[in-house]
Amino acid sequence: MSEEHEISMQMSQERKSSKLKPQAEKWEEDLPEKYDLQQPTAPRLIRVNEINDIWMEIPRHENITWLGTWVISIGSLIFISLNYFFLSLPDFFSEMTSDNKIEVLLLNFSFISLSLFFSRMALFVPRGTPVRLNRKRQKVYVYEHQRSIWPWMRWPTVIKVFDWTDIHGEMLMYSGRYDYGHRLSCAVCKRGTYEVIDRFLLSYTAGDNRMIRGLWNHCCLYMQYKPVPETPLLTRKPLSWTPVNTIRWPEDLDKESKTAPE
């Protein structure tokens, strides 16, 4: 490693704030620039769906216990069914006071909403939303599912397309009880500036920050046509079964993201 690179790394570690503006929440460190060939960590994918000479697809698995969504969904449905049974009994509802009736109706609405929320989570929320890097086009295609805490609203899917040259890597640090570790965030900046106009995650929480550095280095080298390992660190998919196909690319973007320009 050159002396200049060591000095650059030391300055990055000593920097108390990001060079990217606005700074990301949970920011810990700006990662090396894309064309820095002396990145200190060896390139390595965490997970990968496909990698070839044109494009690479990286899945992003959230730290969610999907079994819990099934348990809560089924449990709330059982509660609603039992509640409906008792409400249908003769004179059970009619003997209540007005205040009690309102409370019961609000309680039922809350549990129906809870059941709908977790049912949608279990059945329809995409697992491992992917990011595709097309090195022939020097484009990045981000599959974003925009879910809400409100189950009665539409949860749309949006495909964002960015130029690779406008993307900068940054490491985030989460310290929650159930979500402790580092994430790889990609900041999309105005061309030639550090003014951030959008952000997306390339990896959810990983316990070892070397995994984050290795993934970033791998993507940088891949987009420069440099040799990179194709076997990821993790080959087993998380337990996130769903009975329906939850990843649906629009036909035009699916074709574009997997082909070279004519």
Side-chain angles (χ1 to χ4, degrees):
M1 185 181 297
S2 69
E3 182 179 352
E4 291 83 359
H5 184 71
E6 290 180 354
I7 294 174
S8 176
M9 287 293 296
Q10 184 178 359
M11 291 177 61
S12 177
Q13 292 172 359
E14 292 176 351
R15 186 185 295 123
K16 300 302 182 182
S17 61
S18 173
K19 64 186 176 186
L20 304 171
K21 304 300 178 186
Q23 180 171 297
E25 185 180 359
K26 310 288 186 181
W27 176 89
E28 183 173 84
E29 179 185 330
D30 290 336
L31 293 172
E33 291 296 339
K34 297 185 294 297
Y35 303 105
D36 184 355
L37 299 181
Q38 301 186 67
Q39 297 194 35
T41 307
R44 191 68 183 272
L45 290 165
I46 300 176
R47 286 189 171 93
V48 68
N49 289 339
E50 174 70 30
I51 180 170
N52 53 54
D53 187 55
I54 298 176
W55 62 283
M56 171 173 65
E57 182 176 284
I58 297 173
R60 300 174 296 168
H61 291 282
E62 297 181 67
N63 301 318
I64 293 177
T65 303
W66 292 102
L67 177 60
T69 63
W70 287 99
V71 172
I72 297 175
S73 176
I74 294 172
S76 58
L77 282 173
I78 293 173
F79 177 86
I80 292 168
S81 300
L82 290 174
N83 197 39
Y84 178 78
F85 170 76
F86 285 112
L87 290 176
S88 64
L89 293 176
D91 300 328
F92 183 85
F93 191 72
S94 60
E95 292 180 357
M96 290 183 179
T97 65
S98 298
D99 289 343
N100 286 339
K101 289 179 180 180
I102 293 174
E103 290 175 358
V104 168
L105 291 174
L106 289 175
L107 183 64
N108 274 273
F109 177 77
S110 298
F111 270 92
I112 291 172
S113 298
L114 183 70
S115 177
L116 178 60
F117 175 83
F118 282 100
S119 295
R120 291 184 70 174
M121 288 281 290
L123 292 169
F124 303 113
V125 169
R127 314 296 202 255
T129 51
V131 173
R132 288 179 182 172
L133 289 82
N134 186 310
R135 64 181 178 185
K136 298 289 186 180
R137 297 181 185 272
Q138 290 294 295
K139 296 280 189 180
V140 179
Y141 301 80
V142 185
Y143 192 105
E144 296 283 13
H145 181 70
Q146 301 175 343
R147 66 174 179 263
S148 167
I149 62 172
W150 306 110
W152 307 98
M153 296 177 62
R154 181 172 174 265
W155 295 359
T157 294
V158 177
I159 312 297
K160 297 182 178 180
V161 184
F162 302 112
D163 290 322
W164 174 246
T165 190
D166 299 331
I167 292 175
H168 301 265
E170 51 192 356
M171 191 187 308
L172 312 181
M173 175 62 189
Y174 283 72
S175 55
R177 177 178 296 180
Y178 303 106
D179 191 14
Y180 185 88
H182 298 83
R183 294 184 179 184
L184 173 51
S185 170
C186 290
V188 184
C189 297
K190 288 184 179 180
R191 185 68 52 86
T193 74
Y194 292 127
E195 183 181 346
V196 179
I197 57 176
D198 205 344
R199 281 185 165 96
F200 64 90
L201 289 177
L202 193 56
S203 170
Y204 282 91
T205 307
D208 191 337
N209 63 18
R210 289 174 297 182
M211 297 171 69
I212 298 299
R213 299 181 196 276
L215 174 58
W216 175 246
N217 192 13
H218 186 286
C219 293
C220 293
L221 294 176
Y222 175 81
M223 294 298 276
Q224 295 178 60
Y225 293 87
K226 304 293 183 182
V228 289
E230 297 187 1
T231 303
L233 286 169
L234 305 177
T235 56
R236 183 178 180 181
K237 291 184 177 181
L239 296 175
S240 55
W241 179 82
T242 178
V244 296
N245 176 26
T246 55
I247 303 292
R248 301 184 183 90
W249 287 86
E251 186 177 351
D252 57 337
L253 287 176
D254 185 46
K255 180 179 179 180
E256 178 184 314
S257 64
K258 295 191 293 187
T259 58
E262 296 180 358

